Structure formats: C-alpha cells, structure tokens
Amino acid sequence: METLNDAAPKLRLRGVRKEFVLPRTGERTVALEEIDLDVKRGEFLCIVGPSGCGKTTILNMIAGLTAPTGGSLEIDGKPIDGPGAERGVVFQDYALFPWKTVWENIEFGPRYRKGSALAKSQRDERVRHFIDLVALNGAENKYPYELSGGMRQRCAFARALANDPDVLLMDEPFAALDAQTRVILQEELLRIWGETGARDERRTVVFITHGIDEAVFLANRIVVMGSHPGRIREIKTVDLPRPRKPEMRASAAFQELVEHIWQLIRDEAYAATVKA
Amino acid sequence: MTRVISSSLLRAAVLPVGLLVLWQLVVMFGTPSRRAPMPTHVVEAAWALIGSGDLPLALIQSFGRVLAGFAWAAALALVLGALMGTYRAVDRSLDPLVESFRSIAPIALLPLAILWFGTGTPAAAFIVGYAAFFPMIVNTIHGVKSVDPQLIRAARTLGVDRLTILRTVVLPGALPYIFVGARLALGVAWTSIIAAELAVGAKAGGGGTGGIGQMMFVFYAYSVDLNGIIVCMISVGVVALVIDRGLRRLEQWMLPWKR
Ligand SMILES: Nc1ncnc2c1ncn2[C@@H]1O[C@H](COP(=O)(O)OP(=O)(O)OP(=O)(O)O)[C@@H](O)[C@H]1O
Ligand SMILES: [Mg+2]
C-alpha cells in the first residue's frame, strides 16, 4: 500500500470544459464538462472510458496543444499555456516524421529542442539505448512506411522517452502491439517510470488505455470516464503492492478491481456503442 | 522474349519512319522551293552545328540564363510561399496580387524587361524568372499547407521552437510539392527563354553566344536556314526532356521516404 504526497500536485485541472464548434454548421459539441483532477507528483495515472468520451482531448489540453473552453490547467502551480519538452506525448496515431528514419525520429527531441539540445555523442548513446529498449535494432535506418503498426508505436514510444520528459502523456501507446510485446513494454514502462527507484525521483505518467487489466497493472489510480458529455465517473485507487509482478494479474484482488471497473464502464460503453 | 521486344519496337518505329520518308519525298518531288527543310538536310545541318561548337555553346548559354532566372525566382517563391502557407494574413493580402500577375504572359513583359535591363542576359533572366516564379510559389504554398498538423504538434511537444520546426518539419513535409513546382518551373523557364532570346536577339544582332533563341532568330532573319531552325527546335525538346528526367532522379534521391 502506498501513499502519495498530496500537498503539491504535479498537474491540477479545475472545472475544465471543452466545446468544439464545427466550422461548417456552427454546431457545438460539449466534449468535456467540469473536469476536476489532481495528478500527484510521481503518480502513475490511467484513464479509461468509452470511445469518444474525451480522453485524447484531456491529454491534448495537458500537453498544451489545445486550449480549454473554460476552467484552468496548471503544472507545478503555473498555468499551462503551450507545449513544452517537460511534457512528452505519445500520440494515438504515432505522428512519426515520414521523412526521418527510426533513428532520426528518436533523435529529434534531443537534437532540436530549444535550449537543452544534446551533443552528438551523448545523443547517439541515448538513441542507441532506447532503440535497444523497444527492440528496434536492425530497423534504425528504416522509414516509418517500412514499419509495421507495432513497430511504429514502439518508435513513437522511444521518441517521447528519449527526450527525457518529466511528465509522460501516453495515448493508448500499446494498443497496436501483440500481447507478449505489450506485457514486456508495460514492465519496462514501470521501470522507466521509476517503480523500483526512490519514490521522489519518479516521473508523472498519464496513460490512456482501453485495456482495464492494463490500467490495473500499471496505475496508482484509475480515472473512469463517462460520455455525453465527457466527464469523470469515478476515480479508483489501486492498492496492489509495488513492484508489480506479472503473477499479480491472476490474484483475486487484481481480478476484483478489473471486474469493478468493468461494471462501472459497461453501461457507458454500451450506451456509446448504441448511440454511435 | 527478344523477338517480342524487337517486333514491338519495330511496330512503334513504323509510323515515325514512314512520316520522315514521306516528308523527304514530298520536299524532293512535290515542292518548287529548295528552301523547304527535309530530313537529310536537317541531319547535315545538325552535324555541322554540333561540329562547329555553335549549337552546344548556344544551348549552354541559354541553359545558364534559365538557371539564373530560376534561381532568383525559386528563392523568392520559397520564402514568400512559406510565409503565405504559414500565415493566413500574409496569404490573404498577397494572394490576389499573385493570382492577377499569374495571368500575364511572360512575353508581355518583354518591352519592360528590355527597357529596364537592356538586351543582354539580365533581361532574359528576368523574363525566365518571372515565368518560373508562379508554378514555384503556388506549389510551395500548397505544400506548406498540406503538412500534417499533427507532426507540427509532435515537434512542439518535443520542445522545438517555431523556426526550427519550419526547417525540420514544414520544409521537408512540403518538399514533394516543391519538387513538382520546380519541375514545372524549369519547364516553363526553358520554354520562355527561347521566346525571350528570339525577341531580345532582334536588337542584339545574334552570334554564337546569344543562346539558342538568338541562333534561331539568325537562321530566320539573316541566313533563312529552315533546316537550322528545325535543328534548334529538336535540341530544345531534347534539353527539356533531359531537365525533366534529371529532376526526377534528383527527387528520387532526395525523397527516399516517398514510395
Ligand atoms: N478537433 C475536433 N473538432 C471537433 N470535435 C472534436 C475534435 N476533437 C475531438 N472532438 C470530439 O470530442 C469528443 C472527444 O474526442 P476524443 O478524441 O477526446 O475522444 P477519446 O476519448 O480519445 O476517444 P477514443 O477512445 O476513440 O480515442 C468526440 O465526440 C469527438 O468527436
Ligand atoms: Mg483518443
């Protein structure tokens, strides 16, 4: 059982609301309503919820890529008013640069970021490390179009990590992977996050997933969202001990949590599917 | 296999060879004028013009002017096109200007060009650049606008500033369109250099260093050598083909990520 420092949240969302206006018709969609959320320093937070409930939209706002229609978002007590290297994003659609090889994609942040770019030798070492980590050896000089979906996803994952962000924002980063690779990368992610290290050196992770067991395996807390309009239904604390072990997936406590969350979103998922 | 190829080649050659023979026969027996060009004389003229070095020199001269005109036009079109593709306000204020000038044929600028720059290379380069500018800028704007915004967002979350994004994301993303623009631009540049030199040559008096257009003008106005004119026409076509193929090669080499 862990306790996290409640005093100073890393991210603070207050009354966040997001409306989209369709340019052609002027029609308004309320994507998110009244989102209140604190993400603690060093916390691993997962977000689950039916398709279209606004998960990506929340992530984009934290990343500083989209402005909220109302409410406020803060990082370390300062308002978020644009993207920054301290908040790394793994995009749902990968967003790899098509004209850059795997190596050059992963190198992009450390090479071009403003103010803190790394020298070539440091950079090479770093890129090498993350290519090994995501097992893309041999594909260094391939272009994204030459990769499989899973390889692209691993490349996008490595690109975000190689930039050494303080906060990792991940939008279904393992969705396109086979089951074995997914399990391996889940454990790697926990290691990179700092599960086995000192607690105050951990990064902060916001991780969107459709896999409820994935969320339970990874998270300190799980945000369960509902749709129409997008909102937070419940925030569930995961009381499993760390470091998490693959065997825990079979435990009664684990299964109980999965079942509980599944109950919570089943009605939502059903409603969303029928409406769509 | 070889038989299939050679027979299809044979069939493809029947029509052009037949037409050439017909042309030769019509001129030899069907026209009173000995000035009318015919294939055998054209080949002789070509041989002489290449042998004396006049034709290669004229082509090189013209090509140099095309490159000069293309260079300034491409540089200007890239900068303006990048600005217009990026900033809506710039686009809205410059677009009407570009669109209205676009409909003025390069040749219509000849009087101005001659008045401003005289009858030498600068005037020709001005005309050529004017012609090359429009396909270049239109494609650059389109290319910049078509860059996937998600890639720009990705670069921003990696902490890269706007100017670096322009260089490392927008420009490479727009490059395929910029290449299309460059190919079209060099094509029209080469077309208009002939016209420009034809007209400019009237005042300059011709000579081997006047470019291919002036060479044609001399054949037309002084020596009345129609065979020579045909040789010039054919070499213009060949150079155009070489330019296009060369750029395609360059494109394949520079855009290996394009399937
Ligand atoms: N740029 C946009 N313009 C208009 N509407 C948008 C835009 N982006 C998202 N939306 C709408 O906002 C809602 C939430 O979208 P979002 O992409 O955040 O959902 P999501 O929870 O990430 O879904 P999924 O699980 O399918 O990825 C949807 O109804 C979507 O149609
Ligand atoms: Mg999404």
Side-chain angles (χ1 to χ4, degrees), chain A residues 60 63-66 83-85 87-89 91 93 95-100 108-109 112-114 143 145 159-160 163, chain B residues 147-148 150-161 164-165 167-174 255-259:
Chain A
N60 279 337
L65 293 169
T66 312
R87 278 160 291 145
V89 182
F91 292 91
D93 55 3
L96 296 172
F97 304 112
W99 53 86
K100 293 202 175 288
F108 193 86
Y112 295 116
R113 72 177 171 228
K114 193 179 183 170
Y143 289 97
Y145 81 88
R159 179 177 68 180
N163 209 33
Chain B
V147 174
D148 182 358
Q150 185 77 344
L151 297 179
I152 295 170
R153 290 149 62 94
R156 292 179 68 204
T157 62
L158 290 165
V160 183
D161 66 29
T164 313
I165 288 178
R167 183 166 61 82
T168 57
V169 181
V170 177
L171 219 55
L255 307 175
W257 52 278
K258 276 270 151 186
R259 275 150 291 181

Side-chain angles (χ1 to χ4, degrees), chain A residues 103-165:
Chain A
W103 182 283
E104 292 164 340
N105 263 288
I106 297 173
E107 188 187 37
F108 193 86
R111 179 168 182 183
Y112 295 116
R113 72 177 171 228
K114 193 179 183 170
S116 53
L118 297 181
K120 174 121 179 57
S121 59
Q122 274 177 295
R123 225 160 58 209
D124 286 352
E125 198 177 312
R126 195 152 246 283
V127 175
R128 182 81 267 153
H129 172 77
F130 283 103
I131 281 184
D132 289 343
L133 180 75
V134 297
L136 279 174
N137 324 57
E140 293 93 338
N141 296 317
K142 290 201 162 138
Y143 289 97
Y145 81 88
E146 298 172 293
L147 305 177
S148 71
M151 290 164 90
R152 281 178 214 178
Q153 201 154 54
R154 282 180 274 151
C155 183
F157 181 56
R159 179 177 68 180
L161 289 179
N163 209 33
D164 199 20

Side-chain angles (χ1 to χ4, degrees), chain A residues 20 22 29 31 49-58 92 171-172 210:
Chain A
F20 287 106
L22 290 178
T29 345
S51 180
C53 69
K55 304 183 291 294
T56 299
T57 307
I58 290 188
Q92 194 169 9
D171 201 345
E172 300 186 37
H210 276 130

Side-chain angles (χ1 to χ4, degrees), chain B residues 1-257:
Chain B
M1 189 64 201
T2 34
R3 191 174 273 174
V4 174
I5 290 174
S6 61
S7 79
S8 74
L9 207 71
L10 214 66
R11 243 176 286 149
V14 164
L15 189 64
V17 170
L19 282 175
L20 281 175
V21 170
L22 192 69
W23 174 14
Q24 181 84 16
L25 292 176
V26 166
V27 177
M28 278 170 81
F29 304 108
T31 58
S33 161
R34 275 191 286 123
R35 275 201 190 140
M38 58 183 181
T40 48
H41 289 174
V42 169
V43 172
E44 275 167 32
W47 192 249
L49 280 171
I50 294 169
S52 70
D54 283 350
L55 183 65
L57 192 67
L59 285 174
I60 288 169
Q61 173 87 13
S62 292
F63 190 64
R65 289 170 169 171
V66 163
L67 282 188
F70 175 76
W72 77 257
L76 189 65
L78 276 179
V79 172
L80 276 183
L83 287 174
M84 287 172 74
T86 313
Y87 300 107
R88 200 174 259 215
V90 182
D91 191 23
R92 248 182 269 158
S93 56
L94 286 184
D95 182 66
L97 209 63
V98 170
E99 284 303 321
S100 52
F101 267 101
R102 196 146 83 100
S103 62
I104 303 173
I107 292 308
L109 267 79
L110 256 176
L112 273 185
I114 292 175
L115 278 175
W116 287 345
F117 301 108
T119 55
T121 297
F126 172 74
I127 299 286
V128 161
Y130 177 85
F133 178 75
F134 295 100
M136 197 68 197
I137 193 166
V138 168
N139 281 285
T140 303
I141 294 169
H142 185 59
V144 167
K145 280 186 180 168
S146 70
V147 174
D148 182 358
Q150 185 77 344
L151 297 179
I152 295 170
R153 290 149 62 94
R156 292 179 68 204
T157 62
L158 290 165
V160 183
D161 66 29
R162 298 229 172 225
L163 207 64
T164 313
I165 288 178
L166 187 68
R167 183 166 61 82
T168 57
V169 181
V170 177
L171 219 55
L175 208 54
Y177 291 94
I178 293 175
F179 258 105
V180 171
R183 266 208 344 252
L184 293 173
L186 268 177
V188 297
W190 184 243
T191 311
S192 52
I193 187 70
I194 312 298
E197 287 175 344
L198 268 172
V200 173
K203 285 185 96 182
T209 58
I212 190 78
Q214 287 192 21
M215 185 177 236
M216 282 175 94
F217 182 77
V218 171
F219 285 142
Y220 153 70
Y222 296 95
S223 54
V224 198
D225 180 355
L226 295 186
N227 294 308
I229 291 183
I230 303 271
V231 171
C232 291
M233 283 166 60
I234 292 173
S235 20
V236 165
V238 170
V239 169
L241 191 68
V242 170
I243 291 175
D244 190 70
R245 287 300 130 93
L247 269 179
R248 275 171 205 250
R249 274 285 174 80
L250 185 69
E251 187 177 336
Q252 276 169 8
W253 178 71
M254 280 187 71
L255 307 175
W257 52 278

Side-chain angles (χ1 to χ4, degrees), chain A residues 206-240:
Chain A
V206 179
F207 187 104
I208 295 175
T209 176
H210 276 130
I212 296 167
D213 56 340
E214 179 169 73
V216 173
F217 183 71
L218 294 171
N220 293 111
R221 287 189 305 157
I222 300 173
V223 175
V224 183
M225 290 184 65
S227 37
H228 308 293
R231 73 217 124 84
I232 293 176
R233 293 256 336 239
E234 194 175 316
I235 299 179
K236 194 83 194 133
T237 302
V238 181
D239 284 337
L240 298 170

